[in-house]
Amino acid sequence: MVARDEQLAMLVQPDRVHRSVYADPVIFELEMERIFGRAWLILGHESQVAAAGDYFTTRMGREPVIVVRHEDGSVRVLVNRCAHRGATVCAEGRGRAERFVCPYHGWSYDRGGRLGAVPFESGYQRGKLSELGLKQVPRVALYRGFIFASLSSSGPGLEEFLGPARASFDDLVDRAPGGELEVTGGVFKHAYNGNWKFMLENHLDGAHPAWVHASSVAVARGAPEPGAPGKEHHFDIAVRQMRQNGAPDAVWDAIGVWTTPRGHGYLGDYHSDDRLVAGMGSPVFDEYRKKLVERCGQKEADRILRVTLWNTIIYPNCSFMSQFRQLRIIHPLAVDRSVVYTYSFRMKQAPPGMFRDTVAFANVVNGTASWVLTDDLEVYERLQRGLSSGAVDWVYIGRGHGGDVDEADGTRRGNTGTSEVFIRSQMRAWLDYMGADA
Ligand code: FES
Ligand SMILES: [Fe+2]
């Protein structure tokens, strides 16, 4: 084991990573145990389990889990695996249930996972059944309404884990007048034939849009001028985003990219609302701003809208955009297969047009039929093909290496907006988790 841990340490070097980190099934199994088995993983939002008995099913690495609201008000996370012979007890994506009944022999469990009725009960040894139930995930915690859980009973608390990245969740929630968000429109899922890390490495990568998204930038440039008075279209917001993707290199280099010691990261100073909606005289945005001022006062509303955090990565399983109220959770299935769940949030007290923008953005930028996401997926699959070749060992992650700046708040900033500092930071976190005694 010592030899193996030393070998692991060799795979991640200051400006390069060994290809096996993305392509070796043995390493993938170890990641499920040591990263997904240890870290806090985001599972969803409390609006998905608003009332007692509301539940949804998801995954924590290898483990299928049920997230359920208990009658005592707490959120419980149960491993979706019958204590009898191992079937998953819940097959639905979401619903409301008094109890979970296994389809195989009818054992039933309450919302806390406690075993209740067992058919043919007299056949079991006395006292034996009282030891059995659905396993509870040991740590569950919420931050600003977002549900996290950890399969490990020890480790840092949730707030310490999130560190400076809490500001991105604050931004997402603060933007809702009255602070109320809800997941609306279900969960959108797509899979790709590539490693889970590709998505996390892509979402802060300012050097890729000009290439990967060149065709969508061209389409957006040819589209009618967004927001032309009397000709507003619900795709305007997405057209602006795609045009922004085609910004000159100097703009990309001038934005900010920050990382945290646990591998989280975020872009800032890229989009402001002025570039997207506010300054364009969008009537919906004006109405929204009024509502925000009404709820929290002019000064606070100005402060909230001045925050220009953009894509945020919470390592190892989440990416979100507060300005568009989109959140994605990545679930690794195999070393070369991943599935992504996408959630759209509605600000409960905002004008309906704001959610329309969220949905338009989801369709055009984050959906599988979009002009943007599909190109990223093509690249992830090409990465997997390239890295499955054994002829070349190393992946180079050296852009900006040597120029990283340590900031007073504990974050590390890239010397330019297109620095690969965020991949170096994710890899540092990867090594920390993968250590035998992390
Ligand atoms: S496997 Fe669940 S009741 Fe038998
Ligand atoms: Fe992209």
Side-chain angles (χ1 to χ4, degrees), residues 40 139 141-143 146 148 156-163 166:
W40 284 101
R139 289 194 299 163
L142 272 72
Y143 185 75
F146 291 87
F148 292 77
L158 177 59
E159 298 217 358
E160 184 190 339
F161 164 83
L162 290 173
R166 280 177 309 202

Side-chain angles (χ1 to χ4, degrees), residues 202 208-209 212-213 372 376 380:
N202 173 265
H208 91 282
V212 174
H213 302 302
V372 179
D376 288 312
Y380 302 163

Side-chain angles (χ1 to χ4, degrees), residues 313-335:
I313 297 296
I314 305 296
Y315 192 83
N317 79 330
C318 176
S319 161
F320 67 99
M321 304 160 114
S322 41
Q323 285 159 322
F324 288 109
R325 303 161 294 279
Q326 306 269 298
L327 184 139
R328 288 177 265 190
I329 298 179
I330 184 140
H331 299 285
L333 300 178
V335 69

Side-chain angles (χ1 to χ4, degrees), residues 235 263 359 382 424:
F235 286 153
V359 172
R382 288 202 197 188
R424 293 190 287 275

Side-chain angles (χ1 to χ4, degrees), residues 3 29 38 48 87 95 103 138 141 143 163-164 167 176 231 236 239 247 285 301 326 343 370 394 416:
E29 290 306 325
R38 286 173 172 165
Q48 295 172 273
Y143 185 75
K231 294 208 172 137
D236 284 352
V239 168
F285 196 86
Q326 306 269 298
Y343 303 82
S370 91
W394 295 96
T416 66

